[in-house]
Amino acid sequence: MGDTPRSDVSAVSSLDEPVRRRVYDHVRTQTTPVSRDDVAEALGLARSTSAFHLEKLADEGLLAVEFARRGGRSGPGAGRPAKLYRRSDREFSVHLPERAYALAGELFARAIEDADATGASPRAALSARAHDFGRGLGADTGCTDDDLLAALATCGYEPRRSDGTIVLVNCPFHTLARQHTDMVCGMNLALLSGLLDGAGCEDRRATLAPAEGYCCVRIESEQPPARE
């Protein structure tokens, strides 16, 4: 969940490829950014192979890219800046099934700030923050089953169709929900309601429906109100 380019699971899984892991390990141990040629020379790789793996690592968010002229030259005749790679500042946390505890922590923290500033109850502030976050997620989502299933899968909910209802096999906030059920399930409901609102899904409704082995929220179909 959130605005990262790929899921943490995808990023870390990409390191299973042996050559890519060697490239990543080399870059992360360097004190300054390195070029494709640097990596190729250090690891005995073809430049095209070095470039391929560096770009894949950058796509996954494991490496950051910057451009700079090397050797201190500048001005006309200095040549084009080189494309350089360094270890990304992004942090990775992998759980299977997928969890989103960092997101929960951020929503909780912002809700406390909102409650202090406005005098609202922390629970109401948390619901408002979660709903706003969900609306942002839903802004680029359509309302077909396939659209919603794809969006929910990206968020780590592991959605499944069941008799016209979308059930969620995984809760990204599982441990927190077990310890603070009412608060976290309310946050989850607000987030998913916001997602549906952001997507403009008038014929869908997020409802609380706790069941063993499932997220506490499911998404049901309902007929939109008749227009006069």
Side-chain angles (χ1 to χ4, degrees):
M1 303 177 75
D3 56 359
T4 53
R6 303 279 184 89
S7 75
D8 286 3
V9 173
S10 171
V12 175
S13 295
S14 72
L15 295 175
D16 282 345
E17 207 287 335
V19 175
R20 191 167 304 156
R21 181 56 185 262
R22 288 178 60 211
V23 170
Y24 176 73
D25 285 343
H26 176 74
V27 175
R28 72 178 177 81
T29 59
Q30 304 307 301
T31 57
T32 58
V34 296
S35 69
R36 297 171 175 182
D37 288 329
D38 294 334
V39 174
E41 181 177 356
L43 300 182
L45 302 173
R47 187 179 187 278
S48 59
T49 302
S50 167
F52 173 77
H53 288 294
L54 286 167
E55 286 300 303
K56 288 293 186 182
L57 290 165
D59 286 345
E60 293 287 0
L62 289 158
L63 296 182
V65 175
E66 58 188 60
F67 294 85
R69 289 188 173 91
R70 311 191 79 177
R73 299 180 62 191
S74 62
R80 297 175 61 185
K83 189 172 189 178
L84 305 176
Y85 302 82
R86 61 174 175 79
R87 185 173 65 178
S88 171
D89 294 330
R90 177 183 166 193
E91 295 182 356
F92 295 83
S93 178
V94 177
H95 302 268
L96 295 174
E98 190 167 344
R99 304 296 189 220
Y101 300 125
L103 170 61
E106 180 177 351
L107 292 175
F108 274 49
R110 291 185 180 275
I112 292 171
E113 292 174 351
D114 293 344
D116 285 343
T118 65
S121 72
R123 188 181 296 256
L126 178 60
S127 292
R129 274 287 177 180
H131 190 274
D132 286 347
F133 182 83
R135 282 185 65 88
L137 294 177
D140 297 321
T141 299
C143 286
T144 68
D145 273 6
D146 287 344
D147 290 332
L148 290 174
L149 288 169
L152 292 164
T154 299
C155 295
Y157 282 103
E158 298 184 14
R160 305 284 188 273
R161 292 184 181 93
S162 178
D163 296 328
T165 296
I166 297 177
V167 297
L168 309 173
V169 177
N170 181 52
C171 173
F173 314 108
H174 176 71
T175 299
L176 288 173
R178 289 174 65 91
Q179 297 173 348
H180 309 282
T181 305
D182 290 345
M183 183 74 73
V184 175
C185 287
M187 178 187 72
N188 227 341
L189 178 63
L191 191 158
L192 291 171
S193 295
L195 187 151
L196 295 176
D197 287 348
C201 298
E202 297 181 359
D203 61 342
R204 302 278 185 172
R205 181 169 58 97
T207 63
L208 282 175
E212 187 67 28
Y214 293 89
C215 175
C216 57
V217 180
R218 66 183 182 184
I219 295 174
E220 299 178 338
S221 296
E222 62 177 13
Q223 293 298 320
R227 298 182 181 274
E228 298 184 0

